[in-house]
Amino acid sequence: MQTHEVRLEPSGICLQVREDQAIVEAALEQGIAIHHGCGNGSCGDCKGTILAGDGEQLPFMPLLLTPEERASNKAILCKLQPRTAMRIAATVDESPAYWQGRVSGLHLLGETVMELRVDCDRPYPYRAGQYARLAVPGAPSLWRSYSMASAPREDHRLHFHIRKVPGGKFSEWLFDQAQIGEEIMLSAAQGEFTRQENDRPLLCIAAGTGLAPIEAILEDHFRRGERRPIALYFGVRQQRDLYHLEFLEDLASKHPELRLSVSCSDPALSEWSGPRRLLPAVAAAGPWPGHEAYLCGSPGMIEAAIDLLLSHGMPHEQIHFDSFSPSA
Ligand SMILES: Cc1cc2nc3c(=O)[nH]c(=O)nc-3n(C[C@H](O)[C@H](O)[C@H](O)COP(=O)(O)OP(=O)(O)OC[C@H]3O[C@@H](n4cnc5c(N)ncnc54)[C@H](O)[C@@H]3O)c2cc1C
Ligand code: FES
């Protein structure tokens, strides 16, 4: 397999990258802390600029690059493989920041969702909607991304909603072994899925634990005394994944501008009176062109929701999303 030299600017770091390797993967393999998030084309945190040379840009989540960014040679580096020697403008985190946290709360929110509370050893700066990378206890080279479910608070306490994934390294530790007081390492907060400062009403679409960053965004929104209309669509496939319904109903009763729709497509849930499917419920209440949209959940749901909103005439600048893709 042919290898090419890829020089990162302005650091001047040179990588040797195979043609079947993405830049981010090669950098991490060579011990370079290139700035990145999901590692699989879902978050946009590894955006860089091709300054010279040719590469193959493999598919990534739609809307991560605007047409203007594409025209100015921006690239998604975790999905960019070199075809010649290249020069690339990319952020290298000089000394990755880590926080030591301590498990301070473990609460089952539903059959398959656990709330994890972590107290940090020092202030943990983040914006509502962002996520942290948490080291899998006992396997410190394995990291998993989790969105903060709460807005920043003075007590340095973070809340997460974590769904149990069968065979999952982090989630099985959390459900089966985690203890109060146990130490856990966190990386600095990442992500651009945060509330936009404008006057548009909000359309929030959350699937499963995609509800977590949406709850953080809403907490931040209400704390600032905002009164804009909010339509919140929360959906799960299986009854056992439903959680926080009382919390959401309570929120809606305190904030009349919040309209809540919960969907569950589980046929076993015969007495369900709400909608069965998430996106058809959104479509039926649309179109939403004047709204600012916040989407969070599985990559499949996000792609389908983006298609729906674009077909409803929503400009892509008004669509913000966070895709909970499995770790690369
Ligand atoms: C930006 C971002 C934010 C995220 N925020 C959250 C959050 O707030 N809450 C949350 O619960 N998750 C969140 N995730 C997903 C999370 O990072 C992990 O991928 C997930 O918890 C599985 O980790 P694990 O170690 O338990 O399983 P792993 O050890 O990574 O996986 C075990 C097996 O399950 C498969 N698998 C992993 N995830 C899934 C899945 N979703 N569906 C089906 N199969 C799967 C894997 O391919 C593998 O075969 C987020 C992901 C990203 C990228
Ligand atoms: S790290 Fe490349 S898109 Fe997330």
Side-chain angles (χ1 to χ4, degrees):
M1 179 65 60
Q2 211 176 343
T3 297
H4 300 286
E5 183 171 277
V6 174
R7 184 181 163 94
L8 304 180
E9 303 288 5
S11 61
I13 292 168
C14 288
L15 306 171
Q16 296 302 319
V17 190
R18 294 192 317 269
E19 286 202 343
D20 66 347
Q21 232 182 358
I23 311 284
V24 167
E25 183 193 344
L28 296 177
E29 203 176 273
Q30 292 166 49
I32 306 302
I34 193 167
H35 191 74
H36 73 291
C38 64
N40 56 21
S42 304
C43 70
D45 284 359
C46 63
K47 211 177 275 183
T49 308
I50 300 176
L51 304 173
D54 288 322
E56 184 174 348
Q57 181 74 83
L58 303 179
F60 53 84
M61 183 68 78
L63 302 192
L64 285 186
L65 292 180
T66 63
E68 296 75 33
E69 286 178 320
R70 285 175 191 269
S72 58
N73 287 339
K74 292 273 186 234
I76 296 298
L77 302 185
C78 68
K79 289 285 180 183
L80 181 69
Q81 298 177 343
R83 293 295 174 259
T84 64
M86 300 184 83
R87 277 178 53 235
I88 290 185
T91 308
V92 174
D93 300 330
E94 279 177 16
S95 55
Y98 296 110
W99 277 253
Q100 194 64 51
R102 201 171 279 280
V103 174
S104 58
L106 293 165
H107 307 283
L108 258 188
L109 300 180
E111 217 177 302
T112 61
V113 181
M114 179 83 83
E115 182 192 68
L116 166 67
R117 294 185 181 185
V118 176
D119 289 354
C120 291
D121 58 348
R122 62 188 199 278
Y124 184 82
Y126 71 98
R127 288 172 290 148
Q130 287 192 299
Y131 64 92
R133 286 159 68 82
L134 274 58
V136 178
S141 58
L142 285 184
W143 294 79
R144 297 289 184 262
S145 304
Y146 293 105
S147 302
M148 275 67 79
S150 49
R153 294 172 185 181
E154 284 184 356
D155 59 6
H156 315 155
R157 178 165 287 179
L158 309 176
H159 293 196
F160 301 93
H161 299 168
I162 298 180
R163 189 172 76 85
K164 185 166 188 167
V165 172
K169 300 217 170 31
F170 190 94
S171 58
E172 287 214 330
W173 162 80
L174 180 70
F175 277 74
D176 301 342
Q177 297 170 41
Q179 303 282 341
I180 300 291
E182 202 164 337
E183 293 201 332
I184 192 161
M185 201 133 94
L186 300 91
S187 73
Q190 289 176 258
E192 295 303 321
F193 184 65
T194 55
R195 200 173 60 98
Q196 306 296 304
E197 297 295 338
N198 57 46
D199 293 332
R200 291 193 194 97
L202 282 73
L203 168 63
C204 302
I205 306 176
T209 46
L211 186 60
I214 301 278
E215 282 193 8
I217 286 173
L218 293 184
E219 184 183 331
D220 178 54
H221 181 85
F222 292 134
R223 207 189 273 170
R224 289 166 194 266
E226 292 266 9
R227 291 278 178 273
R228 283 180 267 157
I230 303 168
L232 169 56
Y233 288 82
F234 171 45
V236 296
R237 288 220 179 98
Q238 291 172 309
Q239 180 180 7
R240 62 169 189 255
D241 296 331
L242 276 173
Y243 76 100
H244 254 196
L245 295 191
E246 276 181 31
F247 172 86
L248 293 174
E249 278 157 15
D250 187 50
L251 203 62
S253 71
K254 288 184 182 137
H255 300 278
E257 69 275 25
L258 171 63
R259 201 166 48 74
L260 176 65
S261 162
V262 180
S263 51
C264 178
S265 49
D266 193 340
L269 194 59
S270 50
E271 74 280 17
W272 186 253
S273 60
R276 284 289 177 179
R277 292 176 59 219
L278 178 61
L279 294 183
V282 176
W288 307 90
H291 286 65
E292 199 81 27
Y294 299 87
L295 326 172
C296 193
S298 67
M301 184 288 276
I302 302 276
E303 288 194 35
I306 291 173
D307 284 350
L308 170 74
L309 296 175
L310 291 175
S311 76
H312 276 211
M314 182 177 278
H316 63 76
E317 303 78 27
Q318 286 167 221
I319 305 176
H320 314 277
F321 59 87
D322 207 7
S323 168
F324 282 6
S325 43
S327 303

